[in-house]
Amino acid sequence: MRIGIVCYPSVGGSGIVATELGKQLARRGHEIHIISSEIPFRLHEFYDNIYFHQVETPAYPLFKEPPYLLSLANKLVEIHRLVGLDIIHAHYAVPHATAAYLAREMIGPGGPKVVTTLHGTDITLMGSDPSFAEIIAFSINQSDAVTAVSRSLKSDTYRTLRVTREIDVIYNFLECSEWRHTDTPGMCSRLARCGEKIIVHMSNFRKVKRVEDVVRTFAYIAKAMPSRLVMIGDGPELSSCASLVQELGLRDRVLFMGNQEQVVPLLSVADLFLLPSAQESFGLAALEAMACGAPVISSDAGGLPEVVVDGETGFLAPVGDVEGMAAKAIRLLSDPIMHQEFSEASVNRVRTTFCSSLIIPQYEDLYRHVLGIKEEFPVYPNVGD
Ligand code: GMT
């Protein structure tokens, strides 16, 4: 099949999921056209069957903001005329589902079908904003198929917006042959001193991630045991987070690593991963940590309880309950047997529920369904899963 995948290129869950989906589909023999304003993070190498199309939005002086929606819709039509897309798969409703809808209408009968995947803040933040609610609901209702990355996001969508159409839940996924515990000689000693526990947080440091709760939780842990906090990522809350570290006297215990492309070696030395988000439709970063054997302590927001099994692969606590998260962290880090069990359960949960070999066929089934194709796709071997 020829599938156009529309996504944001920056470091962020929806762009990562869209790009990884493209790579997996390409490996299974589909022709993939990635459409974005820049080459997405994680698509910097050459991959067979993947083509990249850049959306350029000219900045005319007449417009205060460049009209990205129009240039994207225009680009989708151009690409369709060039290659004949079967599917346009829009990741993140705003404005990708709208652009896909416009392109399909411009192309007319016999054109591509539109599949929209909802990722989270497109519904939980933008969807609840009256400036966007009507156009988001319209674009979702007009799609030929819609998926949400968790049951929680599906119900948030119905609760927040006038959405009437069916939404399928297809969970986010990892390529399990790549996302696995990997020992990198010397990595541990580069981050911490011998005997210190390594606590990791990774995000885009937006307000919704509550990175200050990470630091406050760590402050309790650091009082109870020798430990280090490794913060991976960058974003608007980084400087206030660094100030809090300073204020709490934790400067020599916290490492800010910025954005990192190779996170498996870092997550593989983590004794614990913290994700105290105010809202999280899925929590891809938690899944990545679990795949590398790190138990997760997170808030119970949104779809996190569908990823982190409370008392089995980690612990959940109410949003903002820093003391509760710290108490659970200290308990887990002080009990090596419990820690080992949680670590193994985390890896198992990823491998039995979230491997790409289990999830990609669900997307293929959906594509086949919207196109009215009855026969099965040939089964390709899944390397390593
Ligand atoms: O909030 C982010 O980290 C970025 C955002 C995005 O769309 O790029 O992430 C959302 O989509 C991810 C992939 O589906 C989910 O794993 C995240 O939970 C979700 N973020 C929120 O709901 C806040």
Side-chain angles (χ1 to χ4, degrees):
M1 301 174 97
R2 291 205 177 92
I3 303 159
I5 292 184
V6 186
C7 66
Y8 285 112
S10 50
V11 183
S14 63
I16 292 174
V17 170
T19 310
E20 295 298 332
L21 174 62
K23 288 189 206 169
Q24 293 294 331
L25 289 166
R27 278 172 63 185
R28 292 166 74 94
H30 301 284
E31 184 179 306
I32 301 302
H33 296 265
I34 304 265
I35 302 131
S36 191
S37 55
E38 282 168 38
I39 293 210
F41 176 70
R42 298 206 185 167
L43 195 70
H44 286 287
E45 290 163 41
F46 172 80
Y47 295 93
D48 278 329
N49 288 343
I50 300 194
Y51 303 85
F52 172 67
H53 306 266
Q54 186 159 21
V55 183
E56 285 177 88
T57 309
Y60 288 111
L62 186 65
F63 300 123
K64 212 167 131 205
E65 306 290 348
Y68 170 67
L69 169 63
L70 301 186
S71 37
L72 174 57
N74 197 79
K75 190 75 179 180
L76 289 170
V77 175
E78 264 178 35
I79 296 166
H80 176 72
R81 300 221 195 284
L82 203 66
V83 303
L85 294 172
D86 299 305
I87 299 277
I88 298 175
H89 192 161
H91 286 263
Y92 208 85
V94 194
H96 296 163
T98 316
Y101 159 78
L102 282 174
R104 187 191 63 196
E105 296 306 298
M106 286 157 77
I107 293 161
K113 300 288 184 190
V114 171
V115 175
T116 296
T117 290
L118 310 174
H119 280 274
T121 46
D122 44 355
I123 302 302
T124 53
L125 292 183
M126 305 199 74
S128 54
D129 186 332
S131 312
F132 299 112
E134 293 295 342
I135 186 75
I136 298 175
F138 175 82
S139 310
I140 291 172
N141 285 329
Q142 292 295 322
S143 300
D144 296 295
V146 178
T147 76
V149 297
S150 62
R151 293 197 305 270
S152 152
L153 182 59
K154 175 177 173 171
S155 55
D156 280 345
T157 307
Y158 289 128
R159 194 171 32 77
T160 319
L161 294 162
R162 278 180 226 272
V163 167
T164 47
R165 56 150 312 114
E166 183 54 37
I167 298 176
D168 291 306
V169 173
I170 301 186
Y171 282 134
N172 286 336
F173 60 89
L174 295 175
E175 169 53 55
C176 286
S177 63
E178 292 164 13
W179 289 91
R180 59 193 326 148
H181 183 95
T182 312
D183 282 322
T184 309
M187 177 55 78
C188 210
S189 56
R190 274 191 251 165
L191 302 177
R193 293 212 186 97
C194 182
E196 285 178 333
K197 300 290 181 195
I198 300 180
I199 323 299
V200 176
H201 169 79
M202 178 169 72
S203 74
N204 51 16
F205 284 65
R206 294 205 327 246
K207 227 179 177 58
V208 73
K209 302 295 174 183
R210 294 183 68 99
V211 282
E212 294 197 356
D213 284 6
V214 175
V215 176
R216 291 188 193 283
T217 304
F218 175 70
Y220 284 106
I221 301 173
K223 266 193 204 143
M225 62 187 69
S227 45
R228 293 269 158 160
L229 175 62
V230 176
M231 301 286 267
I232 306 171
D234 202 345
E237 298 299 306
L238 182 66
S239 61
S240 62
C241 182
S243 307
L244 182 63
V245 166
Q246 184 89 7
E247 193 186 304
L248 296 178
L250 294 169
R251 219 178 114 191
D252 57 350
R253 311 229 131 255
V254 183
L255 214 55
F256 287 98
M257 308 225 30
N259 285 328
Q260 297 284 325
E261 285 216 17
Q262 302 301 325
V263 292
V264 169
L266 293 167
L267 293 173
S268 295
V269 295
D271 293 295
L272 185 68
F273 187 85
L274 292 177
L275 194 63
S277 309
Q279 181 50 247
E280 202 68 72
S281 67
F282 182 86
L284 190 62
L287 192 69
E288 292 175 344
M290 287 164 66
C292 298
V296 173
I297 293 191
S298 77
S299 69
D300 57 4
L304 281 168
E306 293 170 61
V307 178
V308 179
V309 184
D310 192 30
E312 211 177 284
T313 70
F315 287 113
L316 301 168
V319 175
D321 182 10
V322 165
E323 286 186 24
M325 287 188 212
K328 286 169 177 177
I330 293 164
R331 192 175 137 211
L332 183 57
L333 292 168
S334 314
D335 182 340
I337 294 171
M338 183 199 257
H339 187 273
Q340 181 64 25
E341 283 171 3
F342 275 43
S343 169
E344 284 167 12
S346 299
V347 172
N348 271 340
R349 174 141 182 81
V350 177
R351 297 188 85 77
T352 54
T353 314
F354 299 105
C355 275
S356 52
S357 54
L358 302 168
I359 304 294
I360 305 304
Q362 297 177 32
Y363 279 112
E364 287 182 321
D365 281 352
L366 188 76
Y367 297 155
R368 210 175 50 218
H369 180 72
V370 293
L371 291 170
I373 298 173
K374 296 247 178 334
E375 71 270 18
E376 294 284 322
F377 287 117
V379 178
Y380 297 92
N382 275 288
V383 182
D385 281 1

